[in-house]
Amino acid sequence: MGREHELTVMRSCLADARTGTSSVLVLNGEPGIGKSALLAGARRAADRVVLSTVGVESESDIAYVNLADVFRHHYSYLNAIPDRQADALASVFAIGPSKPADRFTVDAATLNLMAAIAADGPVVVTVDDAQWVDRASLEALTFAGNRLEVEGIVLMFAVRSGQPAAQQLSRFQTLVLTGLDNSAARALVARAGLQAMSEASTSRLIEESGGNPLALLTLPATMKADDFAMWALGAEPLPLSSVIEDAFCDTIRVLPDQTRMALRLLAIMEAGTPEHFRSALERERLSVDDLDPAEDAGLISYQHGQPGFRHPLVRAAAYRTSSAAGRRRAHLLAAQILEQATSATALERRAWHLVAARTAPTEALAQTFQIAADNEFAAANYTVAGRLYKRSSELTPAGNKAMRRMLQAANALRLAGAIDEARTLLRNAMTLGSDPELRAAIDYAHYRLQVYAGGMIDGRDGLIKTGAAAAKLHPAQAAQILGDAALASTVIGDLPTARATAEQAMQLAGKSDGSDPPLAVAAVNAMVKAISGDPVGARRLLHPRAAEIDALDPMGIEFVYQVPLELSIAHLASEEAGRARTLLARAVDGARQLSAAGLLPFRCGSLGRIDFWQGRWASALALVHEALRLADDTGWATERPSNLATLARIEAMSGHPEEARRHAIEGVAASEAIGAGTYLAFAQIALGALELTAGNQAAAISHFEEVSAFSDDVGFSNSPVMWWSSDLLECYVSEGMDDAAQRELSRLEKVAANPDMPTTAAVTARSRALLEPAAFEEHMTEALRLHSISDMPFERARTELMIGQRVRRHNQPAKARPPLTSALAIFDRLGAPDWASRARSELQATGIRIPQSEAPGLATLTPQELQVALAVARGHSNREVAGLLFLSTKTVEFHLSNVYRKLGINRRTRLVTMVTQQASLPASAAS
């Protein structure tokens, strides 16, 4: 009643599901506003399968309790999803043996299990009281919601306004529910047939309740007549939520003692298994029949034969009306019922009951949970392990042992991607003990998280302070901490500090026997040297350890701690892009095999930058889009600005100027927000490339000069990691600013003097040709020789374009045609339409009619279609692609059909051929 707009939207979602289109809808509002009633209406209107769960405040710390509830009656569909994902869900649902079940494996499994259930028809999923749904379940459900497309699923959330979960769900279509209007409110009161009320009482009820339906129905029926009369006269204000709950409390207090005892047990055990609840009733010499008076009073109802509260406020009232002693007794009983249970979920639930019962901490009890946590951690079930470590710490007497266990909880949750919660636990851990080594480890974990969560400068400074404090007692630990500080300093754009801390880490890690320092320390030093213009020094550190690097386990701890990322940056800056790509491709593949989406934003973005350099623009675009999407999913704020800048640069070159400008501006803002000076320079390079591509050299100069000033200030060298100097020089020459161009030439020559930097040396020779017209041919011949041994096709094509332009304008059209033809072919293959247009115009000016080539096929695909096409072209099945890209199989099939239609093909073999030709992907490239 009074919800016509909301019902129209919901009916539209249900109708779309019948045609295979998925949607997500959030109902946001205060308690009693009608969210639950609308969800119930959606369940009644569903054609086929309904999955549902309700958040319970007391169980919101138990991992995956709500997700298990969603699928409780549909576990048989687990055999329809990939084995690893099925094993993960069976593990966290406690219906199978403990298997690896990290957060993102579970998230991907949630999406695919929903899609499997929807394979035979539309599915409605309702999640009520989302503010109390356990964090792990809510993350899995929102992850799935982000990727629903063509499965025929409607996912609906109801959440209280003002709660953190409401912000988490704000990315989806949201209906904000307000009170009923005066007409609908009066109709509801009249239809309910409540106690006779005067016009004044009705008006005040509607006014002060704000049209809240639960208040309109509950208050007149449950308040004592005298109290209601006094309130209606205006003698008492109406504190809405407390009055409604008080009204429920009054109803419960007059029930029989056995009914109130049964309601108390239901309040703390409703989310558990029916068997456990019935066992608790039996131990208290109660039965389900004792709940009949509560059902008659409208406090509970039955679904699937199991009792449940009509509204969360009723559950709160049932708990609140019990004495403190009664609540402790009920919690202790629940813990005893769970004593023989061995699943991680049951253990966590038991621990919560013991804490709520104020059980005295004991080491024996804590050890039980420690062992369970260790087992879950070893199986990569980091979310569950983190919860169990936390419970173990809470059941440990205060001291260093409790401190260590809380640190273990934080580290496990960090690996699960629960960054904010991990930081909270680290703060709690610091209050539990005094061990200096543990305190240093907590500081290290805290500041490292602060760096990657967006507080970059403060986090880096904290790492330096912590490393310095640890240097005397634990030099190896200090070296690792300072290495992380050096990495953060490179992102901040503080290379002097990066060099100093990296060198200090190297000294601390030095061994008396002269053996090599840990690879992690060597990697960060090599990276800093390479981006500072010392590729020879970087190679000196890395080349002797090539076999060790090649032997790194892509699923091992070095990959978790981003050692391959640092190594790849060092190799790329040293113009060893092939080595860099091999490392990162393995890292990406390893993360995909583990479903470790928390690592992919770093790795996919960096691999995208390498692919852009090597001319795999289609692959680069797909990888960077994926990195951005996963950065949003995982909360890694530091990865947004760098990936936005890379995306903008690719778009600028690929003929998408509006998107490029928007993403570059977003990158500038995001970089400034976290204090990432290096990423800000990346964004300025993208803006400069955009203007240069459009022929606006003067505008490009202003952006590139920002980068030159940054380089001069901090010592960042021109390299494939930060590439701008030759573009700025070209703009200076075009604008007649030869003195400024000479300064940039000096910068280039300094880097080109290093051996084995062929692309840098090639563009340096090209730049000399622009500044020394008399020696143009000599310099360009050298540039082409160097390009022939380099792996940056775009720069080669630009050199050939310049040669063709000059030769044609000197009336040598025949001599101009070969370099112009080669340049056009490269630009077309890369998908650089503006640059191809220039080459085509020059060729036509030589007297050759060149037809306008059609846009490259891959350029017509959306980023999602491109990701699917590239994965399929590497030989993966649709089901494998779904697992690799965190999509449902049905969504993969949908995008693949669009790929075939747009490219005019109908076979996978033809797709492989087209991708190989247009994306230049080697057959061995990892996803």
Side-chain angles (χ1 to χ4, degrees):
M1 185 173 291
R3 298 295 186 203
E4 287 75 16
H5 171 65
E6 291 84 356
L7 289 171
T8 298
V9 174
M10 293 171 67
R11 290 187 190 110
S12 176
C13 291
L14 293 171
D16 287 343
R18 295 183 188 105
T19 63
T21 300
S22 298
S23 59
V24 182
L25 184 64
V26 179
L27 307 177
N28 184 317
E30 65 181 6
I33 203 66
K35 305 183 297 294
S36 299
L38 285 169
L39 290 186
R43 291 192 292 271
R44 288 192 299 271
D47 295 331
R48 182 175 162 268
V49 175
V50 174
L51 312 176
S52 65
T53 190
V54 180
V56 179
E57 185 174 14
S58 60
E59 301 230 333
S60 59
D61 278 342
I62 300 176
Y64 298 117
V65 65
N66 289 103
L67 194 65
D69 195 32
V70 167
F71 296 116
R72 188 179 303 279
H73 303 290
H74 297 84
Y75 291 161
S76 60
Y77 285 89
L78 286 172
N79 60 12
I81 68 175
D83 291 345
R84 178 182 172 82
Q85 296 179 7
D87 289 344
L89 286 184
S91 178
V92 301
F93 293 168
I95 59 173
S98 181
K99 292 287 186 72
D102 67 277
R103 169 189 164 188
F104 294 103
T105 301
V106 173
D107 291 354
T110 299
L111 171 65
N112 279 303
L113 186 54
M114 280 187 188
I117 297 169
D120 298 325
V123 169
V124 173
V125 185
T126 66
V127 183
D128 205 354
D129 279 321
Q131 74 279 356
W132 290 331
V133 168
D134 70 274
R135 180 181 183 133
S137 294
L138 189 61
E139 286 173 343
L141 291 166
T142 54
F143 185 94
N146 272 332
R147 285 158 174 74
L148 290 175
E149 292 187 46
V150 292
E151 301 80 4
I153 295 172
V154 182
L155 175 57
M156 296 185 181
F157 296 91
V159 63
R160 286 191 185 179
S161 53
Q163 297 291 321
Q167 177 61 35
Q168 186 175 346
L169 295 170
S170 62
R171 69 185 71 181
F172 302 121
Q173 180 185 4
T174 299
L175 297 178
V176 178
L177 273 61
T178 57
L180 301 178
D181 61 28
N182 186 67
S183 175
R186 287 179 178 277
L188 180 64
V189 171
R191 194 171 76 174
L194 303 171
Q195 60 178 289
M197 290 189 294
S198 66
E199 171 60 26
S201 296
T202 302
S203 296
R204 184 159 191 255
L205 175 65
I206 294 171
E207 179 183 353
E208 293 220 14
S209 69
N212 184 293
L214 187 61
L216 293 172
L217 294 174
T218 301
L219 296 180
T222 56
M223 290 180 71
K224 296 177 182 178
D226 291 344
D227 292 341
F228 185 81
M230 289 296 292
W231 169 80
L233 291 172
E236 297 290 342
L238 177 63
L240 187 61
S241 60
S242 63
V243 168
I244 295 174
E245 190 176 325
D246 285 344
F248 287 137
C249 288
D250 289 342
T251 302
I252 292 171
R253 287 190 182 102
V254 301
L255 295 174
D257 289 346
Q258 292 90 337
T259 301
R260 289 191 289 117
M261 290 172 63
L263 284 174
R264 181 170 62 219
L265 288 172
L266 184 63
I268 68 169
M269 300 185 71
E270 183 184 12
T273 66
E275 293 77 14
H276 289 155
F277 174 61
R278 291 176 189 273
S279 294
L281 289 175
E282 290 173 5
R283 291 201 187 186
E284 293 285 34
R285 298 183 180 180
L286 301 171
S287 73
V288 176
D289 293 342
D290 289 311
L291 289 171
D292 288 349
E295 184 180 13
D296 294 338
L299 299 175
I300 67 168
S301 61
Y302 283 79
Q303 287 189 352
H304 302 292
Q306 304 303 324
F309 289 101
R310 165 191 161 201
H311 193 277
L313 290 177
V314 181
R315 179 188 295 109
Y319 193 77
R320 178 178 156 194
T321 53
S322 301
S323 66
R327 289 195 291 267
R328 288 197 298 272
R329 174 185 170 87
H331 281 296
L332 191 58
L333 174 60
Q336 291 169 352
I337 294 291
L338 293 167
E339 210 163 47
Q340 302 307 314
T342 58
S343 73
T345 302
L347 282 170
E348 191 176 353
R349 187 177 278 120
R350 178 177 172 236
W352 173 76
H353 286 306
L354 288 169
V355 171
R358 299 184 189 174
T359 303
T362 67
E363 175 56 26
L365 192 59
Q367 183 66 17
T368 301
F369 294 98
Q370 168 85 43
I371 293 170
D374 290 343
N375 291 336
E376 296 298 327
F377 190 91
N381 302 343
Y382 299 124
T383 298
V384 176
R387 306 292 188 196
L388 290 171
Y389 282 130
K390 179 174 180 283
R391 295 303 186 194
S392 177
S393 175
E394 291 169 342
L395 291 167
T396 304
N400 292 332
K401 189 166 285 188
M403 188 182 200
R404 179 177 290 105
R405 285 168 173 161
M406 194 65 80
L407 173 60
Q408 288 177 299
N411 283 334
L413 291 174
R414 173 186 64 81
L415 291 173
I419 307 305
D420 292 340
E421 189 173 1
R423 294 174 70 182
T424 298
L425 294 188
L426 289 170
R427 287 192 292 269
N428 294 344
M430 196 63 87
T431 68
L432 297 175
S434 58
D435 182 271
E437 187 173 348
L438 280 175
R439 295 181 74 86
I442 291 169
D443 279 336
Y444 175 35
H446 168 72
Y447 290 124
R448 192 166 184 266
L449 283 178
Q450 190 171 5
V451 165
Y452 291 115
M456 189 159 284
I457 295 176
D458 290 343
R460 186 278 310 269
D461 292 346
L463 287 172
I464 292 175
K465 181 177 70 174
T466 303
K472 291 183 179 179
L473 294 176
H474 302 285
Q477 181 189 40
Q480 184 177 348
I481 295 170
L482 291 173
D484 280 343
L487 176 60
S489 296
T490 64
V491 176
I492 292 168
D494 184 359
L495 254 62
T497 299
R499 285 189 286 269
T501 51
E503 181 58 35
Q504 189 179 357
M506 200 75 161
Q507 293 170 0
L508 287 168
K511 299 180 181 179
S512 57
D513 61 1
S515 58
D516 291 329
L519 185 58
V521 176
V524 76
N525 269 270
M527 178 193 68
V528 172
K529 287 180 181 295
I531 63 178
S532 300
D534 183 16
V536 173
R539 294 172 190 143
R540 192 178 297 123
L541 285 170
L542 299 185
H543 285 188
R545 305 181 72 168
E548 179 184 356
I549 293 170
D550 290 341
L552 285 175
D553 179 2
M555 301 181 190
I557 193 65
E558 292 87 1
F559 275 68
V560 171
Y561 280 93
Q562 305 294 16
V563 172
L565 183 65
E566 295 163 349
L567 291 169
S568 69
I569 293 172
H571 282 304
L572 180 62
S574 303
E575 286 203 35
E576 296 175 338
R579 288 284 295 165
R581 191 179 200 284
T582 298
L583 271 169
L584 271 182
R586 288 177 60 221
V588 168
D589 187 56
R592 291 199 195 282
Q593 295 301 320
L594 288 171
S595 295
L599 299 175
L600 284 171
F602 304 89
R603 298 176 182 183
C604 286
S606 296
L607 184 57
R609 285 185 277 279
I610 296 172
D611 276 355
F612 177 71
W613 174 264
Q614 292 191 305
R616 300 176 180 87
W617 287 13
S619 173
L621 186 67
L623 284 163
V624 175
H625 267 288
E626 183 178 8
L628 277 169
R629 189 174 189 180
L630 289 170
D632 289 338
D633 286 329
T634 56
W636 289 120
T638 54
E639 287 309 289
R640 275 193 61 77
S642 64
N643 286 309
L644 282 167
T646 303
L647 177 60
R649 190 174 179 195
I650 298 170
E651 290 168 334
M653 304 293 200
S654 303
H656 302 286
E658 294 180 2
E659 294 92 333
R661 191 174 304 279
R662 184 178 74 253
H663 287 134
I665 291 172
E666 285 182 33
V668 168
S671 300
E672 291 174 341
I674 64 172
T678 299
Y679 295 161
L680 180 60
F682 288 173
Q684 291 290 352
I685 289 172
L687 288 168
L690 175 63
E691 300 297 351
L692 176 61
T693 299
N696 302 324
Q697 281 82 1
I701 286 172
S702 66
H703 295 295
F704 288 137
E705 283 183 338
E706 293 278 348
V707 185
S708 281
F710 171 75
S711 171
D712 293 339
D713 187 39
V714 305
F716 234 112
S717 175
N718 184 86
S719 77
V721 172
M722 187 175 290
W723 187 262
W724 85 97
S725 193
S726 60
D727 290 339
L728 176 56
L729 185 148
E730 181 182 335
C731 292
Y732 279 148
V733 171
S734 177
E735 294 295 300
M737 302 169 65
D738 286 0
D739 290 344
Q742 286 288 353
R743 289 195 299 271
E744 284 306 311
L745 180 60
S746 297
R747 186 195 308 276
L748 283 169
E749 288 176 333
K750 183 177 180 181
V751 182
N754 289 291
D756 301 319
M757 300 286 282
T759 303
T760 302
V763 299
T764 301
R766 183 179 76 199
S767 299
R768 290 194 190 103
L770 294 177
L771 288 167
E772 301 172 17
F776 182 89
E777 186 170 353
E778 174 188 348
H779 291 313
M780 283 301 195
T781 299
E782 175 64 5
L784 287 176
R785 183 190 71 79
L786 291 164
H787 279 308
S788 70
I789 58 172
S790 71
D791 56 1
M792 214 293 193
F794 179 70
E795 290 297 346
R796 177 190 179 99
R798 288 182 61 186
T799 297
E800 290 173 330
L801 175 61
M802 290 181 191
I803 293 171
Q805 287 174 325
R806 178 180 173 87
V807 172
R808 182 193 66 78
R809 290 167 190 174
H810 281 71
N811 297 318
Q812 296 177 286
K815 188 176 180 180
R817 287 170 192 149
L820 290 174
T821 300
S822 176
L824 177 60
I826 293 174
F827 289 141
D828 275 341
R829 181 182 62 77
L830 292 174
D834 297 293
W835 293 91
S837 179
R838 295 183 194 181
R840 185 173 292 105
S841 296
E842 290 290 339
L843 264 174
Q844 288 176 339
T846 68
I848 296 178
R849 295 294 300 168
I850 304 293
Q852 185 74 27
S853 65
E854 296 181 3
L858 297 183
T860 66
L861 304 181
T862 68
Q864 192 79 85
E865 291 165 353
L866 187 55
Q867 288 177 331
V868 169
L870 294 175
V872 168
R874 294 182 183 105
H876 294 297
S877 68
N878 290 356
R879 183 165 166 168
E880 289 170 340
V881 173
L884 293 170
L885 299 181
F886 304 101
L887 300 171
S888 72
T889 304
K890 203 164 187 178
T891 294
V892 170
E893 292 167 352
F894 171 75
H895 286 309
L896 188 57
S897 68
N898 284 340
V899 169
Y900 285 166
R901 176 178 53 80
K902 290 182 177 181
L903 300 183
I905 59 178
N906 57 13
R907 295 194 307 276
R908 293 170 98 93
T909 52
R910 178 64 183 130
L911 179 61
V912 172
T913 301
M914 185 171 288
V915 167
T916 302
Q917 291 173 345
Q918 296 189 16
S920 298
L921 285 173
S924 60
S927 290

